[in-house]
Amino acid sequence: MMSSYELSCVVSHPVSDMDELIGYDRVTSWVNTFVPEHILGPGSGLGLSYVDPVPNELMKVFGDTWTDQIDGQQLSGESQLVCDMEEDVGIRLVHALLTCADALQRGEFQLANSLIGEMSNGMMTRVNTTCGIGKVAGYFIDALSRRLCQPSLGVSVAGPGSVSNEVLYHHFYEACPYLKFAHFTANQAILEAFEGQAHVHIIDFNLMHGLQWPALIQALALRPGGPPSLRLTAISPSTSNVHDFFHETRMRLAQLARSINVRFSFRVVTTLRLEDIKPWMFQTSPEEVIAVNSILQFHRLLNTNINQVLESIKSLNPKIVTVVEQDANHNVPEFLVRFTEALHYYSAMFDSLEACQLEAAKPLAETFMQREICNIICCEGSARIERHEPLTKWQARLIQAGFKALHMGRNAFKQANMLLSLCSGEGFSVQECDGCLTLGWHNRPLIAASAWQVRTDKDGISLTNDGSTSSSSSS
C-alpha cells in the first residue's frame, strides 16, 4: 500500500506517470517517521486507501447525505421489512432532532429535555448506531444535551474525550483525504509562487507538527537551478511549553532539509491572541518572497477582529496567501438554522469517512469532528470558535480586505484528481469554482482551497451576478 507521504509528493511536484511517482521512495522511509510515534501510536502507518462502494440501494433519509448502504444481493422479505422499519425510525429521528433544536431556540427546555430522552432511550435503540443516521444522530443528541445542561452558553465546553487536539488532527489527517487535499493545493500554489526566487519565507497559522511541509521542501530541492533558502515561521498561542512542543518538529524538518541540501531556518512567533499579530513579529527581509498559509484557521477569528489580522498580513506584502476552509454555513446567529446546516454538513462528512478503509484511524477522526459539532451546537459568543462559512463569503471578505484571487491552476486540479484516483476514492470529487478548488462527497463541496495576492492600484473590484464582489485586473 502506498504511504500518504508518497501520495503527498504529487502535491508539490508534477509527475507524468506512476513510475515517476514511485520514484519518490528515496525519502519516503524518512518522512513516514515524521509524526512522533506517541501521536499516532505504535505500528500506525500514514497510509491511506479506500474501499470502492459497491452498487447498492440507498436509503435516503436526509437530503442526499445520510445513506444506509444495502448489499447488492436481493433482500429477503424479512430483511426488507427490517430495513423499511429502520428507515421510518430514521426519518422520525431527524424530525425529533430538528424539533428539539427549535425548542431550545424558543426556550422550551422541558420539551427539549423530553425529546432528548425519547431519542436516546427510544429511537436510538431501533437504528444502527455504528454507521449512517444512527451514528451522526448520536453525536447531535449528545451536543443538544450538553447545550441544555450547561449553565452558560458563553463559556467553552470541554469536548468529548481527553485526547489532545493535536492527536485528533493527525488521526483525521490519516483517516480521510480532506487535510491531504488542503496541504496538496496550498503546497502547489506556494511552489508556483516561489518559482525563480532565491529566498522564500512561509508564515504558517497552523503548523501541527509540520505535516504539510516535507513534501514542499522536497519539491523545492528538486527545482531546476537549485533550491532557495527557506524560512518557516509558525504562529502559536503563548503557552509555557510552546518551545518544547515545536522542538521536535523543528529538528525533523531541519534534518530533512539538510539531507536534501535545502538551506532552512525555523522560528516560532507566540501571541496570546491571533488577532494581536503584528508584521514586525515576523522579522521579514526585503530580499525574501513571503507566503502566508492558513489551513482551517481563519474561521476561528470571525468572532474577533479578523480584518485586523488580514490588514497585518497585507502589510507584509506576501506573494501569495493560501486559505483552506470548511465550505459550510455554521456562522449564523439563529440556532435552528446553524443546527440544520451542521446536520447536513456532518452527515456528509461521516458518510464519506465510512467509505475510507483505514479503520484504525477512524475512531479519533470521528472524535475530531464530534468536537467541532459540540462547539457549533453548545457554545455562543467568544466560546464558539468553529464559525465555518461558505467559500463565497470568504471570497467577498478577502476581496474587501484588499486581496485579489489567484487561479489555483489546471495543473493543481488535474493532480488533485490524480491523488483521489490513486487512493481509489470513489465518491469524492474535486471541483473548480472561480479559480478555487473544492473537495466534496458525491458532488457536495465540503472543503475549499483558494489563493490570494495583495491587490494593487491596477486591480479593480467588480460585482458578480449574485451580488458578491470579485477582483479583476485592468489591462
Side-chain angles (χ1 to χ4, degrees):
M1 180 174 64
M2 187 176 296
S3 76
S4 64
Y5 272 109
E6 289 175 312
L7 295 177
S8 70
C9 290
V10 187
V11 171
S12 302
H13 192 72
V15 294
S16 57
D17 53 36
M18 179 63 75
D19 292 336
E20 289 186 50
L21 181 62
I22 300 301
Y24 287 103
D25 283 343
R26 59 185 178 276
V27 297
T28 296
S29 59
W30 181 90
V31 176
N32 277 344
T33 67
F34 190 75
V35 181
E37 188 173 272
H38 72 272
I39 293 294
L40 294 178
S44 296
L46 285 176
L48 174 70
S49 57
Y50 297 85
V51 285
D52 294 330
V54 212
N56 51 53
E57 295 294 329
L58 298 179
M59 180 186 74
K60 297 186 183 296
V61 179
F62 192 58
D64 294 324
T65 51
W66 276 336
T67 60
D68 186 19
Q69 296 186 354
I70 304 170
D71 290 339
Q73 66 266 26
Q74 184 66 39
L75 295 174
S76 66
E78 183 177 350
S79 298
Q80 184 65 56
L81 179 61
V82 171
C83 180
D84 290 344
M85 290 176 62
E86 186 164 332
E87 178 178 353
D88 179 66
V89 174
I91 293 172
R92 292 197 294 124
L93 186 55
V94 171
H95 177 73
L97 282 167
L98 297 176
T99 304
C100 183
D102 181 55
L104 280 173
Q105 179 172 280
R106 290 184 285 108
E108 297 184 7
F109 302 124
Q110 186 173 352
L111 172 59
N113 187 57
S114 175
L115 286 165
I116 289 172
E118 181 183 344
M119 289 186 287
S120 300
N121 303 319
M123 300 179 194
M124 290 294 287
T125 64
R126 300 195 294 275
V127 294
N128 185 352
T129 58
T130 63
C131 63
I133 181 176
K135 173 173 285 188
V136 178
Y139 292 138
F140 276 85
I141 292 170
D142 174 73
L144 288 169
S145 180
R146 289 170 184 262
R147 182 181 176 97
L148 180 64
C149 295
Q150 70 188 65
S152 172
L153 299 177
V155 298
S156 181
V157 175
S162 57
V163 183
S164 72
N165 289 331
E166 289 77 16
V167 172
L168 297 182
Y169 183 93
H170 287 301
H171 280 264
F172 184 70
Y173 175 94
E174 186 179 6
C176 50
Y178 297 106
L179 289 176
K180 293 180 179 67
F181 168 84
H183 293 171
F184 162 79
T185 51
N187 279 358
Q188 184 65 42
I190 292 170
L191 182 64
E192 293 174 4
F194 283 171
E195 184 176 358
Q197 303 297 328
H199 305 276
V200 297
H201 184 181
I202 298 171
I203 298 171
D204 191 0
F205 273 74
N206 188 26
L207 188 68
M208 285 294 182
H209 289 284
L211 285 175
Q212 179 174 347
W213 304 120
L216 182 63
I217 293 173
Q218 181 188 357
L220 291 172
L222 296 172
R223 199 177 69 172
S229 66
L230 170 63
R231 291 181 62 198
L232 177 60
T233 299
I235 303 173
S236 171
S238 181
T239 59
S240 58
N241 64 343
V242 63
H243 292 290
D244 293 336
F245 179 81
F246 286 113
H247 177 72
E248 188 171 3
T249 300
R250 179 177 64 250
M251 296 300 294
R252 288 177 178 269
L253 285 172
Q255 180 184 347
L256 171 62
R258 186 166 54 250
S259 70
I260 53 180
N261 299 316
V262 175
R263 289 170 293 167
F264 175 79
S265 64
F266 177 91
R267 67 186 294 266
V268 179
V269 169
T270 58
T271 177
L272 288 175
R273 303 179 305 170
L274 279 180
E275 59 266 33
D276 291 335
I277 62 169
K278 304 297 180 186
W280 61 263
M281 296 178 175
F282 302 107
Q283 300 178 7
T284 60
S285 68
E287 65 180 0
E288 64 187 17
V289 170
I290 299 170
V292 176
N293 182 69
S294 174
I295 306 295
L296 309 184
Q297 287 299 299
F298 277 174
H299 67 263
R300 293 169 172 256
L301 298 171
L302 291 176
N303 194 46
T304 63
N305 193 349
I306 188 172
N307 290 331
Q308 180 178 320
V309 175
L310 295 177
E311 187 62 33
S312 294
I313 292 172
K314 189 170 65 171
S315 57
L316 292 168
N317 195 28
K319 182 71 176 294
I320 190 170
V321 179
T322 47
V323 179
V324 181
E325 285 289 337
Q326 294 90 339
D327 195 357
N329 191 24
H330 302 150
N331 191 31
V332 292
E334 298 82 4
F335 175 68
L336 180 58
V337 175
R338 189 166 79 241
F339 182 90
T340 305
E341 291 285 346
L343 199 55
H344 274 286
Y345 181 83
Y346 285 100
S347 59
M349 289 291 292
F350 278 95
D351 203 26
S352 71
L353 185 61
E354 288 176 16
C356 301
Q357 190 175 7
L358 200 58
E359 297 296 331
K362 285 184 181 180
L364 290 183
E366 291 175 358
T367 303
F368 178 87
M369 291 190 285
Q370 186 184 5
R371 284 192 182 173
E372 291 186 342
I373 293 170
C374 185
N375 186 265
I376 293 167
I377 303 305
C378 299
C379 299
E380 299 293 348
S382 61
R384 181 158 59 86
I385 59 174
E386 300 297 346
R387 294 174 172 266
H388 313 144
E389 289 192 342
L391 172 61
T392 52
K393 286 192 176 182
W394 284 110
Q395 290 172 316
R397 178 178 290 109
L398 285 159
I399 289 169
Q400 290 168 359
F403 294 88
K404 67 175 181 179
L406 297 176
H407 201 287
M408 296 296 286
R410 187 164 182 80
N411 186 43
F413 178 79
K414 287 182 178 179
Q415 289 192 63
N417 278 291
M418 181 194 299
L419 179 67
L420 292 181
S421 66
L422 290 173
C423 295
S424 301
E426 287 191 22
F428 294 98
S429 61
V430 178
Q431 298 177 1
E432 189 273 334
C433 178
D434 295 330
C436 307
L437 294 181
T438 64
L439 175 60
W441 176 245
H442 290 300
N443 295 318
R444 174 182 175 141
L446 295 172
I447 190 170
S450 58
W452 301 86
Q453 196 173 60
V454 176
R455 191 169 63 244
T456 66
D457 293 338
K458 294 182 179 180
D459 301 306
I461 300 178
S462 61
L463 291 177
T464 61
N465 291 333
D466 62 1
S468 61
T469 58
S470 65
S471 62
S472 59
S473 298
S474 60
S475 56

